[in-house]
């Protein structure tokens, strides 16, 4: 599932990124951390709880955030609102597809689980271009 052949252009464009990942599934969090590092991101912080994610969104220094839509039964939309207020680009990761999305966030790029390396790279680029 992971294609480790990230191209040089992507590595250059993502090389200084500090990324916040808020994902309650440990294996998915580790996969995202590895894949984001593989595309060249400089630092990836993975948090698994809503409260920790909200605090990081309020005070952390990140260039991009990846939010699981459902964090142990709690929607991550308040975290997204905080990131948007701080002009931090974000993307959602979800297994629910568009049906699980709040219409207020229809312009935020969404990564459909399960995903491939190329999907993540594409959606990260979309999130950064839309910022």
């Amino acid at each position: 599932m992971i294609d480790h052949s990230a191209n040089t252009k992507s590595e250059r464009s993502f090389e200084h990124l500090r990324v916040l990942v808020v994902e309650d599934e440990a294996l998915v969090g580790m996969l995202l951390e590895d894949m984001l590092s593989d595309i060249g991101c400089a630092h990836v912080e993975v948090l698994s709880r809503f409260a920790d994610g909200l605090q990081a969104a309020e005070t952390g220094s990140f260039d991009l955030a990846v939010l699981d839509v459902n964090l142990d039964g709690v929607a991550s939309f308040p975290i997204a609102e905080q990131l948007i207020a701080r002009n931090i680009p974000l993307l959602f990761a979800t297994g629910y597809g568009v049906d699980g999305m709040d219409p207020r966030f229809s312009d935020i790029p969404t990564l459909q689980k399960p995903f491939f390396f190329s999907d993540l790279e594409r959606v990260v680029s979309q999130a950064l271009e839309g910022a």
Side-chain angles (χ1 to χ4, degrees):
M1 183 156 151
I2 300 175
D3 174 10
H4 292 284
S5 61
N7 65 44
T8 307
K9 180 180 176 194
S10 295
E11 289 176 6
R12 276 198 304 267
S13 62
F14 301 147
E15 70 183 344
H16 297 294
L17 289 181
R18 294 159 299 161
V19 183
L20 169 65
V21 174
V22 185
E23 169 62 62
D24 64 343
E25 294 291 332
L27 290 175
V28 176
M30 288 187 295
L31 177 65
L32 280 165
E33 181 177 23
D34 287 347
M35 292 172 87
L36 288 163
S37 294
D38 286 348
I39 65 172
C41 297
H43 174 77
V44 181
E45 181 174 347
V46 180
L47 302 173
S48 61
R49 295 180 19 195
F50 175 87
D52 295 336
L54 185 58
Q55 182 176 9
E58 291 170 348
T59 62
S61 179
F62 300 99
D63 302 303
L64 175 72
V66 179
L67 304 179
D68 183 1
V69 171
N70 182 345
L71 299 168
D72 199 24
V74 178
S76 65
F77 301 133
I79 299 171
E81 290 170 338
Q82 185 61 44
L83 293 163
I84 292 167
R86 294 184 62 209
N87 295 313
I88 297 173
L90 70 130
L91 63 97
F92 288 109
T94 182
Y96 297 110
V98 294
D99 294 336
M101 294 303 299
D102 185 313
R104 295 175 297 158
F105 303 106
S106 62
D107 59 334
I108 303 296
T110 301
L111 181 64
Q112 177 70 44
K113 295 176 186 175
F115 54 86
F116 292 98
F117 186 87
S118 59
D119 299 326
L120 177 65
E121 192 171 23
R122 176 183 45 79
V123 175
V124 165
S125 291
Q126 286 175 349
L128 294 172
E129 289 168 6

